[in-house]
Every structure is written in C-alpha cells, then in structure tokens.
Amino acid sequence: MGYYTLKSLGKTNDYMTIVRELDDGYVVRIVRDKDGYNDITTDYISKTLFDSCIRTGYLTKVTSLEDKAAANA
C-alpha cells in the first residue's frame, strides 16, 4: 500500500492511498480537503494513468512518516 499527495490548488492536503493492486490498475482511496471537511472517494485508476500522473508530478509518493502525517492532517 502506498501513500501519494495530489497536486492541488491552494494549501489543501489532498492525498491518495492505494487500497488494492489489480492486474491492470489500482483501487485507490482519495481524500480531498473541502473547506474543513474531507471528501473521501474510492475509485479505480489504470496503471497507465497512474504512471502518467507520477511522471507529470500530479502524484508524489510520500516517502517518510512526517510526510505521511502531513498528508493525513
């Protein structure tokens, strides 16, 4: 399971968690900060789209416990 921050406008702490890996993609949980409350979505993302988001910087892997705590704040 991996944690990723999402590139977003403003100072929100949007993040994504990989819940399960499938043959052709991932089931992900996306948490978005919406004016003080969390909008939580579970969805599917293909491996091709995921790789593209990593390459373009839309998704950034959380590599330390401090980054993970900040993403969950």
Side-chain angles (χ1 to χ4, degrees):
M1 185 167 23
Y3 294 92
Y4 297 84
T5 58
L6 280 72
K7 188 174 189 177
S8 57
L9 299 174
K11 295 184 178 186
T12 61
N13 291 322
D14 301 343
Y15 66 95
M16 181 181 84
T17 305
I18 295 177
V19 176
R20 184 174 61 213
E21 183 174 355
L22 305 172
D23 290 337
D24 58 345
Y26 304 97
V27 175
V28 296
R29 180 175 165 240
I30 300 169
V31 179
R32 293 187 176 273
D33 180 4
K34 299 283 188 175
D35 295 326
Y37 74 93
N38 287 334
D39 178 29
I40 301 170
T41 308
T42 301
D43 210 340
Y44 168 84
I45 184 171
S46 69
K47 287 187 177 181
T48 304
L49 179 57
F50 179 82
D51 291 341
S52 177
C53 289
I54 293 291
R55 276 194 315 275
T56 60
Y58 182 74
L59 293 175
T60 304
K61 184 161 179 68
V62 175
T63 57
S64 70
L65 293 177
E66 292 83 20
D67 291 341
K68 181 180 171 187
N72 287 326

